Amino acid sequence: MLLIRCPYCGERPETEFHCGGEAHIARPDTPADISDADWGSFLYTRTNPKGLHAERWLHAHGCGRWFNALRDTVSDAFVTTYEMGTPRPDPISETAKA
Amino acid sequence: MSQPFRRASGGRIDRNRPLTVSFNGKTLEGFAGDTVASMLLASGQHLAGRSFKYHRPRGILSHGSDEPSALLSVDWRHDRGPGYRDPNNRASVVEARDGLVVKTQNHWPSLALDIGAVNDLLSPIFVAGFYYKTFMWPKRFWDKVYEPIIRKAAGLGEAPEYPDPDHYANRHAHADVLIVGAGPAGLAAALTASADASKRVILADEGAEPGGALLNDLTSTIDGQPAMDWVEDAVATLDGRENVILLPRTTGFGYYNHNHVCLVERVSDHRADAPEGLARERLWQVRARQVVLATGSHERPLVFENNDKPGVMLAESLRAYVNRWAVLPGDALIVVTAAASAYRTALDAKAAGMRVEIVDIRLGADCGPELAAARDAGITVRTGHTVIRALGGNRVGALVVAPIGTDGSIGPKLTLDCDCVAMSGGWTPSVHLFSQSRGKLAFDTEIDAFVPDKSVQAERSAGACRGLYDLGAVLADGFAAGSDAIGGAASPQPVEASAAFTGFQPVRVLPSDADPSRIKAFVDFQNDVTVKDIKLAVREGFESIEHVKRYTTTGMATDQGKTSNMNALGLVAGILNRPIPAVGTTTFRPPYTPVSFGALIGPARNELFDPVRKTPIDGWAAQNGAVFEPVGLWRRARYFPQAGEDMQAALARETKAVRSTVGIFDASTLGKIEVVGPDAAEFMNRIYTNAWNKLKTGGCRYGLMLREDGFVYDDGVVARLAENRFHVTTTTGGAPRVLRHMEDYLQTEWPDLDVFLTSITEQWAVIALQGPKARDVLEPFVSEIELSETAFPHMTVKTGSVCGVPCRLFRVSFTGELGYEVNVPADYGEAVWTTLFNAGQKHGITPYGTEAMHVLRAEVGYIVVGQETDGTATPDDVGLSGLVSKVKPDFVGKRSLSRPDMVAAGRRQLVGLLTKDPNEVLDEGAQVVKDPGQPIPMKMIGHVTSSYRSENCGRSIAMAMIDDGRARIGETVFATTPTGFTEAVIAPAVFYEVKGETADA
Amino acid sequence: MRRFSLTSLLKEAASGHQGWKRQWRAPEPKKEYDVVIVGGGGHGLATAYYLATVHGVTKVAVLEKGWIGGGNTGRNTTIVRSNYLFDESAALYEHAMKLWEGLSQELNYNVMFSQRGVLMLVHNHHDVISFKRHVYANRLNGIDNEWLTPEECKEFCPPLSISPDLRYPVLGGALQRRGGTARHDAVAWGYARGADARGVDIIQNCEVLGLRRTSDGAVAGVETSRGFIGAKRVGVVAAGHTGVVMSRFGLKMPVESVPLQALVSEPVKPVFPCVVMSNAVHAYISQSDKGELVIGAGTDQYVSYSQQGGIQIVSHTLDAICELFPQFTRMRMLRSWGGIVDVTPDRSPILGKTPIPGLFVNCGWGTGGFKATPGSGHVFAHTLATGEPHPINAPFSLDRFRTGRLIDEAAAAAVAH
């Protein structure tokens, strides 16, 4: 079971959280203007990387807030968690910090 | 059975506390501190089971959890009735106590005479993978004939027959340092880690008492004192520290993500006096800042012909039985070894009075000081010798040994009589938990073993589990690991320990001149995997160790390869002439030792399997004879049968009452969310397909919600309580996901909107009054709200009070009739309900349940999301395109609705179906075809989503999704029935016209 | 290929089994093949086998990064059934079922296909409707699937509790008698042996690192850890690692890879006669020939390539097992493990062309790919041989995620595969 650091509540067990999939997939501002193919990509295509993955988590049984996390999908180790709306951190600087 | 092989004194048993255990109907005698294995040996009983495939007689190989052979069915509480028995218990870890009833397994008619042993004679056929090559003819014979025979022969013990009367506990704990293993390394680590009183330390060990290998050891010293004195001092010190939790009988079995370590504690099985109700086992889920693994090592068996004879044991295990349990496993012992450590067994056995000889594979020049020690003690040592085979029936009787020439040739053979054999092929560090933690292993050729290399989680290994075998080195390593775990510097501890005999010469299969294709030398004892099986696998191209495991089943038995893995790996590497790491090592997976399902589920049984959500009116419903059904976590009243009524009769009465007088319905499970804030209306516009700007305060509107992919997600009535406040209702099952969906968009897509979302499902009880007399029932109890049609029309909401209780009163209907939904604070729900119900008696008020609710809504053509829709329906498919705003530039799901296949012709559309025979009720889920005479596969044009007997319509009614359905109204189609088809006509999905004051009036 | 038979087995028994040869060769990769298949699991090997046997395409290499059958083929709970709802799925899985029924004989390798019956339990009204919809659809598609009352469920599976006091009482079940289990490893090995005998090169420990394309953008071959291997047609059948391989080829896919866990109990004598699935409470169980209870657990909620999930997933499944089969509470978990499954948005596979000419993909089987192995291989071989999808796999195109023509078995039925 993962141990997840909610940016608002601190470290809590995974069972308090809901994973919302890949982060930083911006919803188009004017969906009507984009093609079926691009809309299909927005809905369904995912990076699914073997390595660092930016993903969304909801502290469902806690503060109820969504946040982003950077996690290694091979080791499952979290590099960091960060607030919604902030850009994806540079993993190198995070590693340097650690 | 008396105890002829029990030593007169010594051992860690309490001779003042005798006990008996029933073994195959006979009485075994022993003492507190015994295991069933030590009692068997004390009585001279070596034969303890039959092997999996060949049904060969098997004895006791080990003294710990790695035992592959002596597996017993144990009835733990025979005196308390059935249900306390389970199979496949390892005799070596079943602590003896009065009242145990144990039986051997996998034989018929008896342990000593087992017909299944004929398989041993047929073994030339039953080689690895033989079943892949045959049993294919005739074609239908596999699962009808061959497989049942194979299954009957396989398996070990019998599964439990009864529900388990025991119960299990679960405990979550946090620790600064968790130490797994309380041998010398673990104890040392605990001492240093817990020296800082602010650090919470948990020390767990699978054994009944701490000490690890030192429990078997009478000769080692620490600081000049017997090693066990040091153990006792250490335990006393730790016991005295409040920051330490000592957990004996607790096996760390799983090392999961982020230092989540699971352990299982045996709480009551070992206690004859355990009170009823005491948990049997407890699952510890420990989240540790730091972990120290001090899990020791496992001894390797030697591989030679008939190495599985009862009486052939691991050397350290034999030593343990002699020293710890004061049992002599025989009179005449031969120690066969490639390792120095086995000499300690020889010396201790000799000192205990056994006749002892040593056969050492190593040349004398390769031996250490152990050789002189043995010879000084008067023990004959044959160095440079091999064992050709063991002789004997149900017990080993002799070994055939021979010298190995410098060229590897086998010299003249010699038969040495014996009645027990201690063997050692060296040691394998127990890296299971380290590997589970995803740590990388490295092969150390020096000690011929995989050892922990790079840690991935916050842990470190100490002692024998990382290949240190000398006691002094183990202690120093433990102290350092404990210190490191609390961030301290490794300070050398002033302990002096006596030197141990260490070092071994890896040997995969003992040299022999016998035809290797004709002999059985076992690598995996329990699964009956021999050297020739492994050779066959490699010959057939199975070169990866994972392939070899799967083809031969080596390492797949209940001991999970603890005794067999390294021998198998070494053997394959040898055959392929590759280094061991090139052949691979298997990744270790949880659990380290088998764990009961009971421990893993803990209290989550029966009523605690899943929480039951009950509405505030549940108690009233129960008292008034409701039949309930689970709806998600909720329990809801399905119908209220009166005396003599079945469901259909109750349903007829309830549905008629609603349309003729008034019904009362508990709608409290409806999901309710409050959407509040200056941008609430804009938020609603974006989340729902409808437009909300024009909804006036006090107005209600039916809202439809899509997923971003355009499919119907949820629906419900929404009330605008104020300019900036919406009271949203959702389906019963949809409440949590709808809130999550809303929060997701609010927080991640539109953080600029100033809106708050609050779940209020539990805050409000919802009492629906539906029917022509609804107003009459309600009116006397309402204050501050005028109920007249003009003042309070359909689809409006007012706040005020009912029965003096604050109320949000909705004029809404899910039946088509005049209706109100009375929302009152949950605590008042039952009181208001009771008041309304009692007062409604004079109007013929009738409580109705979910069944009637479904029929009533279907009569007037209302859909249920999740019943008419199935995650593949668009608003237009279910006839709700009118709710999809054409003006709003965007809302969730809008763009998807214009994708090519979403607007394609021929999509399934919601319609009604009327059976030709009005009394016939279609099966919900029935498929619809145009021509029932067509050949299979038939072209299906739709399916029935809802179907009921409608008393109000005087016939059956059904809703269906039909390809291009709205254009087909009037067409005759055929719906499946359990035995064939029935005729029906496609109709509009509205079946009943409300008379009198309708909802929409 | 030397035929396996009782005679050959007895003959070998007499001579100590010295005469058995490798079941497949360990060839060096050639410079070029007609078709390269990326992924040596059951699906990839079956594809190679049918390319050789049905289409006569034998210049084929199967490239496997580890050892064949080492991924999800060797990690699943071996359930085989074909009672899917939608016509497209039913056709695909029934195609597989028909191949299963003669597979041991076809391959001359006993894959131990055991038609013990798959019983899918129903615990709520919603599922009653959904499962009856399946039963009726299957009947009209010629696929066996029958509705059982709770009492009939109990008769078919005696350890099952049908007590009305269960938290979610059993309301009935859908039984496919032709469903069952098979020996997963043997499927990979049998196909490998059969393909190898017909000239297919099975190359283990060969990781595909990239795609080489011609000047007009078509496939020219693959870069591997063992050098460049030329091929005009490449089929990616890499299950949980499909996304990784495709990203090396420059394509993003509508799949996510998540851990799926499973476990077995200690072996016991026969006690469980069939396969039982209960999606409502998350329980999937059968008993292997060896005697172990084989239990499928759920997926973890996040993308991971770690083959290790949380224990809460396992516990949750065992809660349900012990609720439905209370006599198993004292059984013990012997091994647990995880696989990496590639999940598509509609839980149906992707089988067909990609935007790159000559590159084909077979992925997205999620938690239920094993049962489709023969059928998947058969139609994918057709696709690779002809360059066009077989009518059975035509609906499972990548394009459906653009048009919205999903085949949403999961949404329609809330049934795990």
Side-chain angles (χ1 to χ4, degrees):
Chain A
M1 194 193 297
L2 305 180
L3 186 65
I4 303 172
R5 183 179 294 281
C6 168
Y8 310 99
C9 307
E11 284 186 335
R12 300 296 173 88
E14 181 195 335
T15 43
E16 293 186 10
F17 297 86
H18 167 81
C19 185
E22 186 171 353
H24 305 297
I25 300 175
R27 189 173 186 273
D29 286 335
T30 49
D33 298 342
I34 69 172
S35 69
D36 288 331
D38 288 345
W39 183 251
S41 287
F42 161 72
L43 286 179
Y44 301 125
T45 303
R46 296 295 177 263
T47 311
N48 197 29
K50 193 172 183 177
L52 281 186
H53 187 229
E55 61 197 12
R56 299 153 8 99
W57 287 89
L58 168 67
H59 195 185
H61 303 288
C63 63
R65 300 191 58 180
W66 283 92
F67 59 91
N68 286 332
L70 207 54
R71 184 177 54 87
D72 187 316
T73 61
V74 178
S75 70
D76 287 331
F78 283 96
V79 174
T80 187
T81 54
Y82 53 103
E83 291 183 18
M84 276 289 163
T86 51
R88 175 176 165 147
D90 173 9
I92 296 155
S93 63
E94 282 298 325
T95 315
K97 247 194 284 178
Chain B
M1 285 179 167
S2 59
Q3 304 181 50
F5 293 91
R6 182 74 73 179
R7 299 173 67 185
S9 63
R12 303 186 65 80
I13 49 170
D14 185 350
R15 287 180 175 73
N16 296 319
R17 289 164 60 201
L19 56 87
T20 63
V21 166
S22 165
F23 172 77
N24 283 353
K26 290 178 284 190
T27 301
L28 281 183
E29 293 173 5
F31 301 107
D34 263 323
T35 64
V36 170
S38 64
M39 287 174 77
L40 285 169
L41 293 174
S43 74
Q45 175 81 30
H46 277 256
L47 179 61
R50 291 278 173 172
S51 69
F52 192 82
K53 189 155 123 186
Y54 301 136
H55 289 245
R56 286 171 63 104
R58 289 285 162 79
I60 295 160
L61 183 74
S62 113
H63 70 295
S65 60
D66 53 349
E67 173 62 43
S69 298
L71 301 180
L72 303 171
S73 160
V74 178
D75 191 340
W76 299 87
R77 304 281 172 198
H78 186 66
D79 52 329
R80 289 187 188 167
Y84 292 95
R85 187 196 67 79
D86 46 42
N88 303 342
N89 292 281
R90 297 172 295 270
S92 51
V93 295
V94 176
E95 291 180 54
R97 62 159 167 81
D98 282 322
L100 289 184
V101 177
V102 309
K103 293 193 172 86
T104 49
Q105 305 181 149
N106 206 29
H107 49 66
W108 186 86
S110 73
L111 176 62
L113 177 74
D114 177 15
I115 297 293
V118 69
N119 286 1
D120 201 24
L121 301 174
L122 295 173
S123 62
I125 302 169
F126 296 163
V127 291
F130 75 99
Y131 27 75
Y132 301 127
K133 295 178 174 134
T134 185
F135 301 129
M136 288 179 269
W137 312 270
K139 188 174 158 185
R140 301 299 305 183
F141 265 39
W142 167 250
D143 46 3
K144 304 291 176 287
V145 179
Y146 303 126
E147 191 183 39
I149 297 169
I150 288 175
R151 282 176 173 259
K152 208 156 169 259
L156 285 166
E158 301 276 350
E161 300 91 342
Y162 303 98
D164 184 0
D166 265 317
H167 76 98
Y168 300 81
N170 187 4
R171 180 146 172 201
H172 294 266
H174 294 264
D176 291 297
V177 184
L178 169 68
I179 299 156
V180 183
L187 286 167
L191 285 172
T192 47
S194 64
D196 176 348
S198 72
K199 300 292 183 190
R200 292 167 300 172
V201 173
I202 296 176
L203 173 62
D205 190 275
E206 65 176 336
E209 50 179 337
L214 297 179
L215 293 163
N216 317 326
D217 190 340
L218 300 179
T219 45
S220 292
T221 59
I222 298 173
D223 286 340
Q225 300 298 311
M228 276 309 291
D229 288 1
W230 178 86
V231 169
E232 278 156 28
D233 286 348
V235 171
T237 304
L238 294 170
D239 259 338
R241 290 179 181 169
E242 293 206 342
N243 56 327
V244 178
I245 297 175
L246 269 172
L247 294 174
R249 299 187 177 86
T250 304
T251 306
F253 69 83
Y255 200 132
Y256 295 90
N257 267 316
H258 304 170
N259 268 9
H260 184 231
V261 182
C262 292
L263 310 95
V264 64
E265 178 186 3
R266 303 191 304 281
V267 178
S268 65
D269 274 350
H270 64 286
R271 286 179 55 182
D273 64 344
E276 279 195 62
L278 181 65
R280 181 181 181 222
E281 294 170 339
R282 177 180 296 121
L283 178 69
W284 286 78
Q285 300 197 50
V286 178
R287 187 75 73 169
R289 292 259 171 240
Q290 298 287 335
V291 172
V292 177
L293 297 174
T295 47
S297 56
H298 291 112
E299 196 165 22
R300 296 179 198 173
L302 288 168
V303 182
F304 55 90
E305 183 179 358
N306 295 340
N307 59 343
D308 64 327
K309 292 281 177 201
V312 179
M313 309 171 73
L314 292 170
E316 179 68 12
S317 297
L318 191 133
R319 181 188 182 208
Y321 287 114
V322 170
N323 290 344
R324 181 174 174 188
W325 286 287
V327 170
L328 300 183
D331 299 317
L333 169 69
I334 301 175
V335 175
V336 185
T337 186
S341 57
Y343 279 69
R344 185 49 65 194
T345 297
L347 290 166
D348 290 0
K350 174 88 176 172
M354 296 172 82
R355 282 182 286 130
V356 181
E357 291 179 68
I358 296 175
V359 175
D360 198 324
I361 317 306
R362 303 173 298 169
L363 297 172
D366 293 334
C367 298
E370 65 274 9
L371 184 57
R375 286 188 170 145
D376 288 351
I379 297 172
T380 306
V381 184
R382 291 180 174 82
T383 56
H385 273 60
T386 185
V387 176
I388 304 296
R389 69 181 59 88
L391 304 175
N394 285 348
R395 173 90 182 258
V396 65
L399 289 184
V400 177
V401 306
I404 314 164
T406 45
D407 57 352
S409 62
I410 302 299
K413 296 184 187 72
L414 193 63
T415 300
L416 304 176
D417 290 339
C418 63
D419 59 6
C420 59
V421 171
M423 60 179 168
S424 180
W427 295 87
T428 306
S430 172
V431 294
H432 301 70
L433 292 179
F434 173 79
S435 174
Q436 288 178 25
S437 82
R438 308 189 189 182
K440 293 281 167 282
L441 295 168
F443 190 74
D444 183 341
T445 41
E446 191 72 16
I447 60 167
D448 188 53
F450 285 98
V451 291
D453 185 14
K454 199 168 177 299
S455 289
V456 170
Q457 302 202 38
E459 55 76 38
R460 76 276 304 126
S461 296
C465 69
R466 68 183 198 97
L468 299 176
Y469 301 127
D470 179 73
L471 180 56
V474 165
L475 286 167
D477 201 40
F479 286 127
S483 176
D484 180 54
I486 55 168
S491 53
Q493 296 285 322
V495 286
E496 290 276 332
S498 55
F501 296 150
T502 60
F504 66 96
Q505 184 174 305
V507 56
R508 308 307 172 196
V509 183
L510 296 195
S512 169
D513 57 358
D515 177 355
S517 70
R518 299 285 163 201
I519 63 165
K520 285 199 201 72
F522 287 89
V523 175
D524 185 310
F525 289 84
Q526 190 184 112
N527 273 356
D528 280 337
V529 181
T530 64
V531 172
K532 62 186 174 192
D533 290 317
I534 290 177
K535 286 183 173 169
L536 173 63
V538 175
R539 192 178 308 132
E540 293 193 87
F542 297 89
E543 297 181 349
S544 147
I545 192 65
E546 285 293 344
H547 275 165
V548 173
K549 278 183 71 169
R550 286 156 181 270
Y551 195 63
T552 65
T553 74
T554 189
M556 310 280 271
T558 61
D559 63 325
Q560 293 141 313
K562 291 187 183 68
T563 53
S564 61
N565 274 349
M566 271 310 295
N567 281 336
L569 198 54
L571 188 53
V572 174
I575 298 167
L576 295 171
N577 196 24
R578 292 179 194 159
I580 281 181
V583 175
T585 178
T586 29
T587 313
F588 295 91
R589 300 287 182 195
Y592 170 68
T593 52
V595 181
S596 73
F597 292 179
L600 290 166
I601 70 178
R605 297 165 70 186
N606 307 320
E607 64 270 24
L608 296 180
F609 171 70
D610 236 0
V612 179
R613 289 179 84 180
K614 293 179 181 173
T615 75
I617 293 136
D618 182 88
W620 186 94
Q623 280 167 20
N624 286 272
V627 173
F628 292 98
E629 66 169 340
V631 179
L633 290 178
W634 291 103
R635 115 170 166 157
R636 300 192 73 181
R638 192 174 181 201
Y639 56 98
F640 292 84
Q642 295 184 348
E645 279 186 340
D646 61 7
M647 187 173 87
Q648 267 316 316
L651 209 49
R653 179 178 48 73
E654 291 173 16
T655 51
K656 281 190 78 163
V658 170
R659 301 226 182 272
S660 56
T661 57
V662 59
I664 184 167
F665 174 72
D666 178 7
S668 304
T669 63
L670 274 186
K672 296 175 278 293
I673 297 167
E674 221 164 82
V675 179
V676 183
D679 298 320
E682 175 59 20
F683 178 76
M684 295 294 290
N685 275 337
R686 296 185 191 182
I687 281 285
Y688 281 88
T689 63
N690 332 49
W692 298 91
N693 290 341
K694 289 184 184 156
L695 181 65
K696 292 193 177 67
T697 296
C700 294
R701 181 169 290 172
Y702 173 71
L704 188 66
M705 185 183 294
L706 309 182
R707 300 185 309 210
E708 196 70 277
D709 61 10
F711 297 117
V712 173
Y713 191 51
D714 206 81
D715 68 349
V717 168
V718 176
R720 190 166 199 170
L721 297 174
E723 179 66 19
N724 296 336
R725 183 179 295 266
F726 291 83
H727 176 120
V728 166
T729 65
T730 75
T731 57
T732 292
R737 58 179 157 80
V738 168
L739 179 64
R740 195 164 72 209
H741 175 81
M742 287 181 165
E743 283 285 5
D744 190 352
Y745 278 92
L746 178 61
Q747 292 183 33
T748 71
E749 295 295 345
W750 313 313
D752 51 310
L753 294 186
D754 192 357
V755 175
F756 285 90
L757 304 171
T758 311
S759 167
I760 52 168
T761 303
E762 303 273 0
Q763 273 60 47
W764 297 96
V766 183
I767 301 160
L769 286 171
Q770 300 276 310
K773 306 275 190 193
R775 184 183 292 120
D776 300 341
V777 174
L778 186 61
E779 201 142 35
F781 300 99
V782 176
S783 32
E784 303 143 51
I785 304 173
E786 167 158 11
L787 290 190
S788 75
E789 177 64 34
T790 45
F792 193 17
H794 182 54
M795 291 305 268
T796 56
V797 64
K798 287 193 186 300
T799 52
S801 58
V802 169
C803 309
V805 172
C807 165
R808 286 180 182 174
L809 186 60
F810 287 67
R811 170 89 197 273
V812 289
S813 172
F814 199 42
T815 61
E817 301 291 335
L818 168 66
Y820 299 92
E821 287 186 359
V822 184
N823 286 248
V824 291
D827 287 350
Y828 297 103
E830 187 171 357
V832 173
W833 172 285
T834 308
T835 304
L836 293 174
F837 178 75
N838 291 341
Q841 291 301 316
K842 59 177 176 285
H843 301 289
I845 197 166
T846 300
Y848 66 98
T850 51
E851 272 312 311
M853 178 268 285
H854 272 107
V855 176
L856 290 162
R857 65 89 200 174
E859 286 172 349
V860 290
Y862 296 163
I863 67 160
V864 168
V865 169
Q867 185 152 350
E868 271 62 58
T869 70
D870 61 6
T872 65
T874 65
D876 184 60
D877 294 345
V878 287
L880 296 177
S881 54
L883 297 177
V884 180
S885 165
K886 307 276 188 297
V887 261
K888 287 197 290 181
D890 190 19
F891 56 82
V892 174
K894 180 178 168 74
R895 174 64 184 84
S896 289
L897 292 177
S898 60
R899 291 187 289 165
D901 274 308
M902 307 288 272
V903 293
R907 290 188 64 89
R908 283 199 177 176
Q909 294 171 336
L910 180 72
V911 290
L913 271 188
L914 293 173
T915 47
K916 191 174 177 196
D917 172 0
N919 290 318
E920 181 164 18
V921 180
L922 293 172
D923 242 359
E924 290 178 331
Q927 294 286 340
V928 178
V929 299
K930 190 73 190 145
D931 168 18
Q934 64 187 301
I936 281 172
M938 291 196 188
K939 168 75 185 152
M940 286 167 258
I941 61 165
H943 63 278
V944 176
T945 58
S946 297
S947 173
Y948 311 97
R949 162 82 208 162
S950 164
E951 205 61 28
N952 292 309
C953 297
R955 60 156 301 136
S956 69
I957 59 171
M959 296 164 106
M961 295 294 289
I962 301 284
D963 292 348
D964 211 12
R966 292 195 291 268
R968 289 180 135 164
I969 285 174
E971 276 186 30
T972 295
V973 292
F974 294 84
T976 53
T977 65
T979 52
F981 290 92
T982 192
E983 201 175 330
V985 175
I986 299 176
V990 183
F991 308 93
Y992 180 84
E993 197 176 326
V994 176
K995 300 151 190 86
E997 186 177 13
T998 69
D1000 299 318
Chain C
M1 184 177 88
R2 178 163 176 207
R3 276 191 71 75
F4 290 156
S5 67
L6 185 57
T7 323
S8 64
L9 188 66
L10 288 174
K11 187 159 162 271
E12 281 300 328
S15 61
H17 297 276
Q18 298 299 308
W20 296 115
K21 295 289 187 291
R22 297 183 67 98
Q23 296 193 1
W24 56 89
R25 297 162 295 129
E28 283 301 312
K30 298 190 185 83
K31 274 191 175 149
E32 183 156 16
Y33 294 90
D34 291 339
V35 178
V36 158
I37 293 165
V38 182
H43 289 240
L45 293 163
T47 304
Y49 176 83
Y50 293 115
L51 271 172
T53 55
V54 177
H55 304 280
V57 181
T58 55
K59 279 186 67 184
V60 175
V62 178
L63 309 183
E64 167 54 48
K65 147 176 90 116
W67 36 282
I68 62 167
N72 295 343
T73 301
R75 295 170 182 275
N76 71 90
T77 54
T78 81
I79 298 173
V80 175
R81 63 183 182 89
S82 66
N83 49 352
Y84 280 71
L85 176 65
F86 292 120
D87 295 348
E88 297 90 338
S89 321
L92 178 59
Y93 291 100
E94 180 62 16
H95 184 57
M97 178 69 88
K98 294 219 166 74
L99 291 168
W100 276 116
E101 286 174 329
L103 193 59
S104 291
Q105 291 71 27
E106 160 87 25
L107 295 177
N108 180 235
Y109 207 102
N110 188 354
V111 299
M112 303 184 196
F113 180 47
S114 175
Q115 293 180 295
R116 319 170 62 69
V118 175
L119 175 61
M120 301 166 78
L121 297 177
V122 170
H123 303 268
N124 58 54
H125 184 64
H126 176 271
D127 284 356
V128 171
I129 303 174
S130 167
F131 280 56
K132 284 194 171 173
R133 192 176 159 197
H134 279 69
V135 167
Y136 284 125
N138 291 150
R139 190 173 94 196
L140 302 188
N141 270 324
I143 296 167
D144 76 303
N145 195 13
E146 57 196 277
W147 177 259
L148 300 191
T149 64
E151 293 70 28
E152 289 167 335
C153 291
K154 172 84 180 166
E155 197 185 333
F156 191 72
C157 181
L160 176 67
S161 169
I162 55 169
S163 161
D165 298 332
L166 289 187
R167 177 69 180 83
Y168 302 107
V170 174
L171 302 182
L175 170 64
Q176 185 175 33
R177 292 185 192 271
R178 286 158 71 231
T181 55
R183 172 84 186 119
H184 51 11
D185 294 326
V187 175
W189 301 338
Y191 274 121
R193 174 169 164 266
D196 175 88
R198 287 159 180 88
V200 171
D201 282 355
I202 294 163
I203 301 163
Q204 303 184 87
N205 299 305
C206 179
E207 184 172 6
V208 171
L209 305 171
L211 189 71
R212 192 181 290 179
R213 297 167 70 174
T214 60
S215 53
D216 57 358
V219 167
V222 289
E223 311 286 353
T224 79
S225 57
R226 294 170 70 170
F228 174 76
I229 299 174
K232 292 199 171 50
R233 286 190 182 156
V234 171
V236 177
V237 201
H241 287 83
T242 299
V244 174
V245 174
M246 294 301 265
S247 72
R248 287 173 184 169
F249 294 178
L251 290 178
K252 270 169 100 174
M253 297 289 290
V255 293
E256 287 195 298
S257 298
V258 295
L260 173 69
Q261 297 186 69
L263 64 113
V264 295
S265 74
E266 294 181 336
V268 288
K269 293 292 179 191
V271 65
F272 203 81
C274 57
V275 181
V276 169
M277 303 173 63
S278 171
N279 195 65
V281 295
H282 301 291
Y284 313 90
I285 178 171
S286 63
Q287 187 176 18
S288 72
D289 285 340
K290 206 178 158 213
E292 298 156 331
L293 297 177
V294 182
I295 295 170
T299 53
D300 286 86
Q301 54 176 335
Y302 46 84
V303 169
S304 178
Y305 291 87
S306 65
Q307 295 186 336
Q308 185 190 62
I311 193 172
Q312 75 277 13
I313 305 286
V314 163
S315 296
H316 182 61
T317 287
L318 290 175
D319 292 350
I321 294 293
C322 294
E323 170 86 352
L324 292 174
F325 311 101
Q327 77 190 80
F328 291 157
T329 309
R330 296 179 85 91
M331 294 286 291
R332 296 187 198 93
M333 174 167 86
L334 173 60
R335 277 192 306 281
S336 66
W337 65 92
I340 307 300
V341 300
D342 45 329
V343 177
T344 60
D346 63 357
R347 303 295 188 273
S348 285
I350 300 167
L351 257 165
K353 297 181 184 181
T354 70
I356 298 176
L359 180 66
F360 301 84
V361 68
N362 177 352
C363 71
W365 292 94
T367 59
F370 178 73
K371 67 174 76 68
T373 306
S376 159
H378 193 265
V379 298
F380 198 53
H382 175 98
T383 309
L384 282 166
T386 64
E388 292 298 326
H390 187 281
I392 287 178
N393 65 308
F396 295 90
S397 69
L398 195 50
D399 194 47
R400 71 180 188 270
F401 299 104
R402 177 185 66 83
T403 66
R405 208 179 150 283
L406 304 188
I407 305 166
D408 205 336
E409 289 282 338
V415 171
H417 295 243

